Amino acid sequence: MSDFGTPPEIPSDLQQYNSYVEDPKWQRKFSAVWAVAVGIAILASLPHLVRAIRRGRAFTGFFGVSEDHSGKKYVPIRVEEKLPAQRMKRVAGVLYTLVSFLRWTIPGVELNFGQMILVAGYLATVIICIVMNSQLINNPNRAGFLALAQLPVVFLFATKNSILSLLLGPGHGYEKLNYIHRWSGRGLFIGATVHGALWIRNHLQYGLPILGQQKETSGVAAFGILCILVLTSLRPVRRFFYQGFWIVHVLGYVSFFVTICYHTIYASPWIFPPLAFYGLDILLRLFRYRIKDASLVPIDQNMTLIHIHDCDSGWQAGQHVRLRVFFSNRVFESHPLTIINAPSSSSCLNTRTMTLAARVRGDWTRALNKYAQAEQDRLQDEKLDKANVPVHVMIDGPYGGCSIDLGDYESVLLIAGGSGATFTIGLLDDIVARCGKLGRRHGERTRRIEFAWCIRSFGCINWFAPMLMEIANTVAGTSLDLHISIFLTCICNPFAIPPIPNSDVTIYRPSQHPTILKTTRRNAQSRNCSGSVWGEASPFVLVGRKR
């Protein structure tokens, strides 16, 4: 205490608002909110992660695809099959049904109901932190501070190799979390727009130049770059011009980081976490890159199979890899493709290859198919008698996968349309081998499997007919009840139907959803099966029914 006594207190209503003291507090509050939300998600996923660790599924593929250097091929194992006792978990079934409402998806919308709630909560938190107890009109710094605080969220959910994906357990890869990346980026854009628009308003009100000084000029430049990033991230651009989107995205964020550091000294602490997330992603990718010999098999003008040799383990059914094929001038392009088969240790197929399928959809898949057909014709003309076209490929992965273990369910319904069957066939291959060849060694409960596939023409059946035949033949003599239903929407070449055991081919579009589900449930109950699970097919999903 000084000789002059206690200094007088200034009333709060007379104190001048200092944004550089108050606004960083709201940055920390916002960071605490999303960190707590992530912690709750991790705790909720902890039982799933523990079960995956016990079954050896948690960190499969962490170091990429591997091969057995001893050269031993997989030998089917026949053990005495022990059927698990039926367990009626009515309470768990009711809870699962209630949670399933969160997975409802509106047609044309990329998000399901649960994701919409999460996104709405995130944006509401951003807006509350911007406007709560702030003098936003006179001093719009709060919006700029909150825009910076969202950078760690944007990058945490953008990287393919994330610590968060590992902690959430199998099936929570980057493709399942990427929607948070997109919407947090839009939240960042909202904060930057409010900040910039109100500053421009204040400059116009007091007659100050918008451009001129470094702070204003670098701020406008940073906002312009952010606008380009947002516009080029829209769904049509990502879908039809992905390579351009990717290049603009990488270069744009580098430019944004540079300009935002020139704009404010308060940006640097919020850039280090994104750089750490991205650096970890690059480091882990180095462990997952593989260069392999492969063979291209053009089934027809719409489908090309890629068989990657000497791949024994390192992935799970339903996962995908990013593939780069060294052909023509397409060396620098990589594309995500789903792995059709399970690893050799849990597969019905006696092979040491990883099989991918490339449906002709864009310029890259079309060029790959034409190259494979041309090379196949050339090899046949040279009388080399090679149906497969040898190539070199680079794979990055695996990533993604199924978030549930089908072995926990007694009745399984897998539904896919067109090339979306690559996902469900991999799951089918895995669960049939585990329940049949491996004798339910991990206590798999699956007894009945319905596999529905909707395609446009009979010729599409030949895409995966050999695999389906081998899987169906594996079921013979086991306790599994497998039925394959194929629905066609076009009558083309009906004589091209391969003889897949225990399968039906029906010429109509399956559209009566209530009837389908009622019939499937009644057939499951007639075989004393309880519980069901829907296959998480790729974007092409249609509904079929057992005949």
Side-chain angles (χ1 to χ4, degrees):
M1 181 180 296
S2 65
D3 297 336
F4 299 99
T6 304
E9 284 190 20
I10 301 176
S12 58
D13 55 344
L14 298 179
Q15 293 181 5
Q16 185 177 6
Y17 181 81
N18 188 345
S19 66
Y20 295 104
V21 174
E22 298 297 326
D23 293 344
K25 297 179 182 178
W26 287 94
Q27 281 184 312
R28 293 189 289 271
K29 292 179 181 179
F30 171 78
S31 300
V33 170
W34 73 258
V36 169
V38 170
I40 293 174
I42 293 175
L43 290 177
S45 300
L46 191 59
H48 170 62
L49 177 62
V50 172
R51 287 195 303 268
I53 293 175
R54 289 177 178 175
R55 296 173 182 177
R57 299 178 63 244
F59 306 111
T60 301
F62 185 79
F63 293 106
V65 177
S66 60
E67 62 179 283
D68 183 6
H69 294 284
S70 63
K72 296 180 181 179
K73 294 187 177 182
Y74 168 69
V75 179
I77 301 175
R78 285 283 187 180
V79 298
E80 184 178 354
E81 194 172 352
K82 297 180 180 179
L83 290 178
Q86 294 184 21
R87 292 175 293 175
M88 299 295 294
K89 296 184 178 180
R90 298 185 181 276
V91 176
V94 171
L95 293 177
Y96 187 86
T97 302
L98 294 176
V99 174
S100 66
F101 286 112
L102 299 177
R103 300 177 181 174
W104 285 1
T105 303
I106 301 176
V109 180
E110 292 182 326
L111 305 178
N112 59 38
F113 187 60
Q115 292 172 341
M116 290 179 186
I117 295 176
L118 184 60
V119 168
Y122 177 86
L123 295 180
T125 303
V126 171
I127 294 174
I128 290 173
C129 290
I130 289 177
V131 302
M132 183 71 70
N133 300 329
S134 69
Q135 301 178 6
L136 202 59
I137 301 299
N138 297 327
N139 193 333
N141 278 349
R142 174 79 65 81
F145 276 105
L146 263 295
L148 293 175
Q150 297 180 72
L151 284 174
V153 186
V154 172
F155 276 78
L156 176 63
F157 292 93
T159 55
K160 289 183 172 58
N161 298 280
S162 171
I163 295 297
L164 183 58
S165 296
L166 295 176
L167 296 178
L168 292 177
H172 295 89
Y174 73 94
E175 76 285 354
K176 300 287 181 64
L177 303 175
N178 190 258
Y179 75 96
I180 303 179
H181 161 70
R182 295 193 301 269
W183 282 97
S184 60
R186 291 159 187 165
L188 188 155
F189 180 71
I190 291 174
T193 301
V194 172
H195 172 71
L198 292 179
W199 264 116
I200 291 176
R201 170 198 172 276
N202 292 342
H203 278 59
L204 294 176
Q205 180 179 357
Y206 297 108
L208 300 176
I210 297 175
L211 298 177
Q213 296 184 6
Q214 174 181 309
K215 187 175 184 64
E216 285 79 2
T217 303
S218 58
V220 172
F223 183 72
I225 295 172
L226 191 61
C227 290
I228 295 175
L229 288 171
V230 172
L231 292 176
T232 55
S233 300
L234 297 177
R235 186 178 181 182
V237 179
R238 287 185 283 115
R239 181 175 180 182
F240 297 106
F241 307 99
Y242 182 82
Q243 294 297 326
F245 150 77
W246 186 83
I247 294 173
V248 171
H249 225 55
V250 174
L251 298 180
Y253 261 108
V254 173
S255 304
F256 177 75
F257 280 171
V258 173
T259 53
I260 201 66
C261 286
Y262 275 102
H263 176 63
T264 174
I265 61 174
Y266 295 92
S268 299
W270 298 97
I271 290 179
F272 294 134
L275 293 179
F277 294 147
Y278 189 69
L280 178 63
D281 178 35
I282 297 298
L283 177 63
L284 294 180
R285 284 197 199 186
L286 296 178
F287 294 105
R288 297 192 175 193
Y289 280 121
R290 299 288 187 274
I291 297 180
K292 293 281 189 179
D293 294 326
S295 299
L296 303 179
V297 182
I299 304 299
D300 53 27
Q301 294 181 350
N302 295 313
M303 177 60 67
T304 307
L305 297 182
I306 303 103
H307 300 292
I308 305 176
H309 307 304
D310 299 325
C311 296
D312 297 295
S313 60
W315 77 92
Q316 296 178 17
Q319 289 189 304
H320 69 274
V321 295
R322 296 196 64 88
L323 178 72
R324 191 189 307 268
V325 182
F326 301 132
F327 77 103
S328 300
N329 57 346
R330 302 276 182 165
V331 178
F332 298 102
E333 294 187 42
S334 64
H335 296 266
L337 294 176
T338 303
I339 306 171
I340 306 177
N341 60 311
S344 58
S345 60
S346 61
S347 175
C348 300
L349 313 175
N350 190 15
T351 178
R352 295 182 61 202
T353 63
M354 172 192 289
T355 302
L356 311 174
R359 169 75 183 274
V360 175
R361 299 281 296 180
D363 56 347
W364 183 82
T365 52
R366 185 173 294 105
L368 181 68
N369 184 267
K370 290 182 178 179
Y371 172 80
Q373 289 183 342
E375 285 295 302
Q376 189 179 64
D377 294 339
R378 182 184 65 83
L379 294 175
Q380 291 176 353
D381 292 340
E382 294 178 1
K383 298 181 180 180
L384 296 179
D385 296 331
K386 288 186 178 181
N388 301 342
V389 178
V391 291
H392 294 290
V393 300
M394 175 184 287
I395 56 176
D396 172 19
Y399 298 106
C402 187
S403 59
I404 58 177
D405 186 355
L406 299 186
D408 293 336
Y409 299 87
E410 294 181 0
S411 182
V412 175
L413 174 61
L414 300 172
I415 307 174
S419 59
T422 55
F423 182 86
T424 54
I425 289 177
L427 297 179
L428 180 66
D429 180 27
D430 176 72
I431 191 61
V432 169
R434 287 161 56 191
C435 295
K437 285 188 173 182
L438 301 181
R440 305 178 185 269
R441 60 172 56 175
H442 294 293
E444 287 80 3
R445 303 174 57 208
T446 308
R447 301 183 180 213
R448 183 169 182 269
I449 303 174
E450 285 284 337
F451 182 88
W453 185 22
C454 186
I455 53 180
R456 293 183 178 180
S457 64
F458 286 94
C460 298
I461 303 177
N462 293 320
W463 294 351
F464 313 123
M467 299 184 64
L468 290 176
M469 285 188 218
E470 198 161 349
I471 293 173
N473 289 327
T474 304
V475 174
T478 67
S479 60
L480 274 179
D481 180 10
L482 170 65
H483 185 267
I484 299 174
S485 298
I486 301 176
F487 302 93
L488 294 103
T489 59
C490 176
I491 304 176
C492 307
N493 191 15
F495 300 101
I497 304 177
I500 302 175
N502 199 22
S503 66
D504 289 338
V505 179
T506 308
I507 306 174
Y508 72 89
R509 184 187 300 274
S511 59
Q512 299 178 354
H513 297 192
T515 304
I516 292 167
L517 297 179
K518 186 183 299 182
T519 304
T520 303
R521 181 180 299 176
R522 183 172 61 251
N523 292 333
Q525 291 174 351
S526 66
R527 291 170 173 81
N528 296 322
C529 297
S530 62
S532 63
V533 58
W534 287 71
E536 300 179 32
S538 63
F540 306 98
V541 180
L542 292 175
V543 178
R545 72 179 178 89
K546 180 182 181 296
R547 290 181 60 81

